[in-house]
Structure formats: C-alpha cells, structure tokens
Amino acid sequence: MTRPLLRDLCAAVAATLLVVAAVLVGRHIQSTRHTLFLHWPPLFADWDPHVGPGTPAAGLVAVAVVAYGPALAARLPWRALLAATWVTAMAWTWSLALVDGWHRGVAARLTTPNEYLRVVGRFQDIPATLRDFTHHIVAGSPSPWPAHIAGHPPGATLTFVLLDRIGLRGGGWAGAWCITVGATASVAVLVAVRALAGGGLARRAAPFLALAPAAVWVGASADGYFAAVAAWSVALLALAVTAGPAPGRRAAAFGAGLLFGLTCYLSYGLTLFALIAAGALLLGGRRPGTRTDVLPFLLAGLAVVPALFTVAGFDWWEAYRLLVTRYYQGVGGTRPYGYWVWANLACTVFVVGLATVAGLGRAGTALFRRQAGVLARPAPEAADGGGGAAEARLALLVLCALLALLVADLSGMSKAETERIWLPFAMWLLPACALLPRPRVWLTVQALVALLVNHLLLTGW
C-alpha cells in the first residue's frame, strides 16, 4: 500500500471515528441532560429503517454513476457533461427524497410549522411586510415569525411567496423548486473549477458532485436552493476573472455581484461566501488589470439587492442583531457549544462523505507542495488535470470553503442542523474528490453513505 493511499484511509477512518464519537457522546448528553433537542444526534433525524418508491431508482442511479460516471466524464463534450451532471444530480436527489414517499419526502417538507410556506399569507402586502419584518423576529414580540423565517432575511421567504403568486402553490411545487434549482449547484461548481483549475480536474470532480451525499438534504430543503444561488455567484465570478472579452467578463462580474447580494438576503451566514469569492479572485486575477476591470461591475451588481430591500424598509443589520437575540432565546442558547463545535464537523462528514475527507487531506498536501505555482493558471482543458499547479489551485479553492465553514462553526451561531445549514459550503468541498485515485471505489463509498443515511434515518429540519 502506497503512503498517499494509507493517508487517504487514515483520513476516512478518522472521520468515521469522529462520527461514532458524536453519536455516542450526543446520545449520552441527550439522555442525561436533554440539552441537544435531537432524537439521533448529531443529525436532526429519527431512527427509522425504511424503504420507499425512490429506493430502486436511487440504487440504479448509484450503480450507473459508479460504473460509467468517470469514463463518461472524461469523454463527453463540456456542455454535454454539464447537462449530464445536472440531470444525474436531479435524478439522485429526487430518488433519495422519494425513499420517504412523495408526501413525507417532498410535498410536506416545507409546510411544517417552522417552514416558509406557513407564512405566505402574511405577505399579502409585500412592502408593508418588509417594513414590519424586524418587529416579529424576537420571541415574545407580536405574532413572532416561525424559526426559519426569523432566522433568515426575507429574501428566503419571498422566494416562496413569489412562487405562490405565479400559481406554483403548495409544498409540492416548493419542493420541486428546491430540488431542481439546488441540483444546479453541482454545475456551478464544475464551471468554477474548470475556469480556475482546469478542465481535467473538473471532469474528475463531476461524478462526485452528481452523486454527492449532500443530496439527502438538498431534497427538499430551502438550503439546497440557497446553495445553488451562492454557487452560481462564485461560478460567474470565476468566469469574469479568467476568460473571454471584456464585455462578457463585465457582465459575468455584474451577475456574480447580483447573486451574491441575493445570497446575503437568503441567509445571514452565507456572507461568509466572501471568503470563497476572495479565493476565486486570487486565482483568476493574474492578467494585468483584470481585477480593476471587473471589480466595479461586481460591486455594482452587489449593490442591487441590498438597495432594493433597504428602500423597501428592511434593515439587514438590525434584523441580524435581533436574530442573535432570538437564537439565544431558543434552543440555540441551551445546546452546548463544547459538543457542537466538533459534532458539527461530524454532521459535515455525513454531507460530504468519506471520499471528500480523504480528498481534503490530499488538497492540503498539494497546496503545501506547490505554493510557488498555485497562481499559474492551467489551460481550461488540460488533459492530465493540469498537473501539480492545477491541483494546488483546486486545493486553494476548496480550502477557502473549508475556512468559511470553520468560521461558521466557531461563531456558535450554528449548533445542530448543520447537515442542512452548511450545504452551500459543503458543495465546494466535494471537488477535492478529483484528487483521489480509484474514483469508482470512492464513488461507491459516497453512494453507500447517502443510501444508508436515507434508508436508516428519517431526516428532518
């Protein structure tokens, strides 16, 4: 056994031990102190072995991707690969969601008491509701918002209000929206990886993005939709700083800013995507004048959504201050930081899978060994993956995402449910799998993680 392979296995075993420790310690804390407010810590889930209509489909998708995914990813034309990745990610997410059945797995997900659809009727007058939004965040205020509405800027709820206004009413349409849009996050990540680290590594990452364990929580949660919006903001930024004539790059930069502004009004914590965007700027801004050319358009796009909400009367900063108060009024103030600061990472292992953990180890090694060449951008379709420099560039991108996730963890504002809340960050850790040899073996491991979680546990949020 080679030393790199031994390190991969050690990383996977260490991640497994972390999960086991989180389960055992969590069960002890919950049974003795009752401070976790979970039935199956560290996940927000119940032990419920079951099969459903999606079981055969999930198995078929997994087998097909493991058997044919790496070879097809290497041969397909680039645009066909993007389309195939999206279709496969949707098939995987839909089939996993339908393991719980249509009602429990899709249609009812966004209609529970803490979810967005429960307050659609309170947005009859949207401007008036936005002006009044902050008056209902803190517990004890008149008609306080349910937890998820209070915990997010109103852009999240407005998405489902607007879906309702155009006739796509109810949990079925809302769930379909989250799955369909959420599955595009894998495409956005591929676009960014190709632009910043070369087509070879993007092609190697494609099957892992399509078959991600994260799909268990993308279908059907609003955070899957948030992940896609945030991912496309970085993808457009990567295009803006790497390719094409100036007008196209400026348009991409404006679009990146527009989507990042929207991201910040979907979830407060996703402001940390600025760290991933900074990595993209660093990796892509090698040509003289690139940053100065696109930055004004990026900032112009970034100003649009905040300006619209501010003019409408919503104060983002005041809302976040009140959210912190609401957070500590509820279970967030009781759940022990000393457990969740490491158990959250165990939740992340469920989302990204053991292959990603092994890939992150290789990413750290690649970046350490090629520090000097990390900014030497490879050709978009480097057949060999671009060599050590390209691997180091990919490593920098995924480690920026890991840094954002760790900052979120240390903040203490995400204790539990991070398997859902951190989906946007998790999507950017998955490309580390491109650094692994024997992709079919690791794809099998990834598929087993997702299938076991979805068939043994009833996940919720």
Side-chain angles (χ1 to χ4, degrees):
M1 182 181 295
T2 63
R3 185 173 298 177
L5 180 57
L6 181 61
R7 285 198 295 264
D8 294 341
L9 293 177
C10 287
V13 170
T16 303
L17 293 175
L18 176 67
V19 167
V20 171
V23 171
L24 296 178
V25 174
R27 289 179 68 85
H28 174 73
I29 293 173
Q30 181 61 16
S31 63
T32 57
R33 303 178 192 173
H34 309 290
T35 56
L36 299 188
F37 303 95
L38 297 176
H39 298 150
W40 205 87
L43 298 179
F44 196 99
D46 292 286
W47 179 258
D48 182 20
H50 63 286
V51 296
T55 298
L60 286 174
V61 172
V63 169
V65 174
V66 170
Y68 304 108
L72 284 175
R75 294 199 308 265
L76 285 174
W78 177 247
R79 292 184 180 180
L81 175 60
L82 295 180
T85 301
W86 181 35
V87 170
T88 305
M90 277 204 296
W92 180 233
T93 307
W94 271 110
S95 59
L96 290 174
L98 291 173
V99 168
D100 298 332
W102 168 256
H103 179 76
R104 191 168 68 169
V106 179
R109 289 288 191 178
L110 293 163
T111 63
T112 58
N114 286 323
E115 281 288 1
Y116 302 98
L117 295 188
R118 297 301 286 264
V119 301
V120 166
R122 291 176 62 175
F123 278 75
Q124 295 300 321
D125 185 338
I126 292 176
T129 306
L130 292 178
R131 288 193 299 271
D132 196 44
F133 191 89
T134 55
H135 298 151
H136 305 284
I137 293 177
V138 176
S141 60
S143 302
W145 297 118
H148 288 186
I149 291 82
H152 294 80
T157 309
L158 271 180
T159 299
F160 300 101
V161 171
L162 295 176
L163 284 176
D164 182 84
R165 293 283 177 89
I166 63 174
L168 303 180
R169 298 183 178 89
W173 283 113
W177 167 267
C178 291
I179 292 173
T180 303
V181 177
T184 69
S186 58
V187 180
V189 174
L190 283 185
V191 169
V193 170
R194 181 178 186 262
L196 299 172
L201 288 173
R203 290 176 179 278
R204 289 180 61 85
F208 290 96
L209 285 158
L211 202 65
V216 172
W217 293 276
V218 172
S221 75
D223 294 86
Y225 155 55
F226 302 163
V229 176
W232 280 109
S233 72
V234 176
L236 288 176
L237 179 60
L239 293 176
V241 296
T242 57
R249 288 191 289 108
R250 292 167 183 168
F254 183 84
L258 189 67
L259 290 181
F260 183 65
L262 176 58
T263 297
C264 295
Y265 279 76
L266 294 174
S267 175
Y268 296 103
L270 295 186
T271 53
L272 290 172
F273 252 73
L275 294 172
I276 305 175
L281 278 173
L282 179 64
L283 290 170
R286 290 289 291 167
R287 290 181 295 184
T290 298
R291 294 191 187 96
T292 56
D293 184 39
V294 303
L295 273 176
F297 295 90
L298 176 68
L299 295 175
L302 179 59
V304 173
V305 173
L308 290 174
F309 275 96
T310 302
V311 169
F314 173 73
D315 187 334
W316 192 97
W317 294 102
E318 174 67 7
Y320 180 72
R321 182 186 69 81
L322 294 171
L323 165 63
V324 174
T325 301
R326 169 72 177 262
Y327 181 76
Y328 285 101
Q329 286 177 325
V331 296
T334 304
R335 284 171 170 160
Y337 180 86
Y339 171 74
W340 286 111
V341 74
W342 61 272
N344 280 337
L345 302 180
C347 293
T348 305
V349 173
F350 282 104
V351 179
V352 302
L354 298 176
T356 303
V357 177
L360 288 173
R362 289 195 176 236
T365 301
L367 188 59
F368 177 77
R369 288 179 176 174
R370 291 298 299 263
Q371 296 176 55
V374 69
L375 298 181
R377 183 161 61 91
E381 283 290 352
D384 62 351
E391 291 181 354
R393 292 170 62 80
L394 176 62
L396 179 60
L397 185 64
V398 299
L399 292 176
C400 283
L402 180 61
L403 176 61
L405 185 148
L406 292 175
V407 172
D409 188 30
L410 293 173
S411 74
M413 287 296 291
S414 297
K415 295 196 283 286
E417 302 183 57
T418 50
E419 65 271 16
R420 167 184 58 83
I421 298 168
W422 289 353
L423 276 175
F425 304 122
M427 296 303 301
W428 292 91
L429 302 181
L430 293 166
C433 297
L435 303 176
L436 296 170
R438 304 179 182 178
R440 287 188 176 86
V441 174
W442 287 110
L443 281 168
T444 301
V445 173
Q446 295 290 85
L448 287 174
V449 169
L451 291 170
L452 287 173
V453 168
N454 220 52
H455 286 82
L456 295 178
L457 301 173
L458 178 61
T459 56
W461 37 85

